[in-house]
Amino acid sequence: MSRPVVVDAMGGDHGPAEIVRGAVEAWREHGVPVVLVGRAGVVRGELARLGAAGEIDVAHAADVVPMTERGAGAVRMLRSSLSVGFDLLREGAGAAFVSAGSTGAVVACAADRLGTAPAVLRPALAVALPTTAGGVTVLIDAGATVDPMPEMMAQFALLGASYAQLVLGVADPRVGLLSIGAEPGKGNRLARRAETLLRGLPLRFHGNVEGGDVLTGVVDVIVTDGFTGNVVLKNVEGTVRATLALAAAEGVTGPAGLGRVAARYDPKTHGGAALLGLTRTVVVAHGSSRAGTVARACVVARDLAEGEVVARLGDRLAVQPAP
């Protein structure tokens, strides 16, 4: 890949130290070219501390978007590492963008600086969750648009189904809508309207699914609003940790077996969530990301960019009827 992955060096709970370390790991261990965006003196100091001075390019950005920023304020910070990084991406100086910063800020800045794909109302975060059936289920939206309209959720379904086909190789993805019951017509007004729209789309709509179905593999794509999806994602991560801790305390199985299960749901394994519906490749890493997770996010971003997933998603949406 000739163009580098642009990495927000200042984002995340542990930036810039862990972010820079992760970028170095991505380059040294995975061969992913990277450019770090942030306060140049600070970033170069971290690179020097790792013995990586001169290995990775640095683009200066004077400002840092705080993790508490929900979105609108970040758009106005034109000299932040987010804005400068997205500008590099838009100008063709990078192939993809990675940030562990505030999700709301990343989404708002990405939509403002990059723009959404034609006909896309709002972007959505897609996360592939391992299932007990041995495969994965795409959860969309996992936190990008917390208060969507039903028409947006219908587009999330199209994005998620296309992502499952293009990235995961699922020929004919089964799509489910997360609700409080599997029966038709269950849920709040948003879910009921979204269900009606999904039934009219050219996809394999399974119907409603419940919270207990998220990890069973009953469907390949689970559609929900970003608020609910983010709660589900963090609940899954927390429940896995708690269950494994209980199993270890009871001596149910050995550390090796527990470690293998834990690794399947560790953010370090999947790296981050793909922000779909934009004109460029963007991956949002967990805010608590350490170096290994950042490195994996860079690998994911590179692979998505090399597979031209964003362009192919745009082509698919362009020929679909509007919700």
Side-chain angles (χ1 to χ4, degrees):
M1 185 176 68
S2 58
R3 293 178 299 162
V5 171
V6 180
V7 179
D8 171 17
M10 311 307 290
D13 298 332
H14 307 292
E18 290 292 322
I19 307 299
V20 173
R21 183 182 294 275
V24 171
E25 181 179 326
W27 168 241
R28 288 178 174 176
E29 299 186 18
H30 304 286
V32 180
V34 173
V35 56
L36 287 161
V37 184
R39 290 173 175 162
V42 174
V43 175
R44 291 196 176 102
E46 293 293 336
L47 286 170
R49 192 167 60 86
L50 297 170
E55 284 188 48
I56 293 176
D57 289 337
V58 177
H60 178 64
D63 296 332
V64 177
V65 176
M67 290 297 288
T68 54
E69 174 56 54
R70 297 172 59 185
V75 173
R76 295 190 292 269
M77 297 176 66
L78 303 183
R79 301 190 304 161
S80 73
S81 54
L82 285 180
S83 291
V84 173
F86 283 131
D87 285 345
L88 289 173
L89 192 61
R90 184 184 61 198
E91 294 161 4
F97 183 86
V98 170
S99 178
S102 161
T103 299
V106 174
V107 172
C109 280
D112 179 73
R113 312 298 284 187
L114 304 176
T116 55
V120 171
L121 299 172
R122 285 286 296 175
L125 284 169
V127 178
L129 296 174
T131 69
T132 55
V136 297
T137 290
V138 176
L139 176 68
I140 186 168
D141 177 22
T145 304
V146 298
D147 192 20
M149 298 183 297
E151 292 78 11
M152 295 175 185
M153 290 178 62
Q155 285 191 341
F156 298 167
L158 293 170
L159 286 168
S162 295
Y163 185 84
Q165 289 176 318
L166 296 173
V167 178
L168 305 178
V170 182
D172 188 17
R174 299 158 298 169
V175 178
L177 176 67
L178 190 62
S179 190
I180 58 172
E183 302 84 1
K186 279 293 187 77
N188 58 16
R189 284 180 292 179
L190 176 63
R192 294 196 303 271
R193 175 57 180 156
E195 180 190 349
T196 299
L197 294 176
L198 263 63
R199 292 193 183 280
L201 294 178
L203 48 73
R204 188 179 173 190
F205 184 49
H206 171 87
N208 291 340
V209 295
E210 300 182 70
D213 299 318
V214 171
L215 301 182
T216 64
V218 66
V219 293
D220 304 296
V221 179
I222 294 179
V223 180
T224 188
D225 62 275
F227 180 89
T228 304
N230 194 261
V231 171
V232 167
L233 177 62
K234 291 176 179 175
N235 183 62
V236 166
E237 294 171 347
T239 299
V240 169
R241 287 194 299 268
T243 301
L244 293 178
L246 290 171
E250 294 295 330
V252 174
T253 187
L258 294 173
R260 287 193 296 272
V261 174
R264 296 185 69 194
Y265 295 93
D266 192 328
K268 183 177 178 179
T269 301
H270 56 73
L275 186 56
L276 306 181
L278 298 170
T279 59
R280 301 289 191 277
T281 301
V282 176
V283 172
V284 182
H286 204 293
S288 62
S289 292
R290 296 286 184 176
T293 306
V294 174
R296 179 59 188 160
C298 291
V299 172
V300 170
R302 176 198 63 188
D303 292 347
L304 290 174
E306 287 185 339
E308 299 182 336
V309 171
V310 167
R312 294 162 72 190
L313 280 173
D315 290 343
R316 288 181 176 229
L317 285 177
V319 300
Q320 300 287 5

